[in-house]
Amino acid sequence: MIFHHSADSILTRLGAEHLDLFHGKRFLVTGACGFLGQWVCEVLRRSAMQEAILVDRVDATAKFADDPRFTFIQGDISSLGAWAGNKLDYVISLAGIASPKLYRKEPIACIDVNVNGCRKALQLAQEQGARIIHMSSSEVIGDAEVVPTPEYYIARINTRSVRSSYDL
C-alpha cells in the first residue's frame, strides 16, 4: 500500500509535463527489489516509459510480471557484462547492502559491493550516453534534528554504533 500511495503522490507532484520526460524512454534499475527500487518501479509502471530492465540479486518482481515493458535480470550489475540490450536513456542506481549486521560480519565485501556497484552503474551510463540517477537511503542521515531534511544537512551518526556503517 505504501508503494501505491507514494507512487500516486510523486506522479501528482511531477505533473504531466514532467512525466512526458519518461515517454518512450528505456531504464535500467539496479536494486529494483529493494524498498526504494520497488517504489521507483511502481512510478515507472504508471508512466509512459518504453522499457525497464530490473536488476537485483533477489527475485521479488512478481508484481511487475504482468507488464511486458519490464524485464528482470537476477544478479547484480556486474552480471550484465558488456551491455547488449537496447540503448538506455537512464540508469537508476539503487543497489547496495544496507545491513549493519552484515557490515560488521563482512565489511570489505559490503563496501566492495556498494562502491564498485555504483562505479559499474556510472560506467554503463557513460558508455550508453545515458543519464544516471543515484539514490541513497535516509539512513545516511541518521537521527535528523530537521525534518524534512535538506540536502545540505550534516549527518550525525555515532561512529561507534551499529549504524556507523551508513556513514561512509
Side-chain angles (χ1 to χ4, degrees):
M1 186 60 131
I2 190 168
F3 298 122
H4 295 289
H5 175 72
S6 297
D8 289 341
S9 175
I10 195 68
L11 290 171
T12 300
R13 288 180 184 178
L14 279 173
E17 69 278 3
H18 290 98
L19 283 177
D20 285 344
L21 295 173
F22 293 172
H23 184 76
K25 302 297 183 190
R26 290 188 169 94
F27 293 81
L28 183 129
V29 182
T30 67
C33 298
F35 180 74
L36 291 175
Q38 290 183 53
W39 178 83
V40 166
C41 290
E42 185 61 38
V43 170
L44 289 175
R45 182 209 317 245
R46 294 167 185 231
S47 77
M49 63 93 183
Q50 182 174 345
E51 178 182 22
I53 298 93
L54 312 181
V55 181
D56 206 302
R57 295 184 337 183
V58 178
D59 186 357
T61 57
K63 66 193 279 181
F64 304 110
D66 63 334
D67 190 329
R69 300 176 302 160
F70 286 91
T71 302
F72 180 69
I73 298 173
Q74 190 164 8
D76 60 35
I77 195 164
S78 63
S79 33
L80 296 177
W83 180 250
N86 293 321
K87 180 163 180 353
L88 299 169
D89 296 296
Y90 293 90
V91 174
I92 303 178
S93 175
L94 303 171
I97 297 174
S99 167
K101 185 177 179 181
L102 194 54
Y103 265 92
R104 288 205 183 275
K105 184 178 177 186
E106 298 180 47
I108 302 298
C110 291
I111 291 170
D112 183 58
V113 165
N114 292 346
V115 172
N116 287 324
C118 184
R119 181 182 54 78
K120 289 173 186 173
L122 287 165
Q123 284 177 325
L124 179 60
Q126 183 178 34
E127 290 166 5
Q128 289 286 305
R131 291 181 175 218
I132 183 130
I133 299 170
H134 180 76
M135 295 182 204
S136 181
S137 165
S138 63
E139 285 295 327
V140 300
I141 295 170
D143 296 322
E145 295 172 1
V146 179
V147 178
T149 310
E151 290 291 322
Y152 56 81
Y153 186 80
I154 298 173
R156 304 210 189 285
I157 298 175
N158 182 343
T159 57
R160 295 181 183 183
S161 77
V162 159
R163 294 176 68 200
S164 66
S165 57
Y166 291 116
D167 204 21
L168 291 176

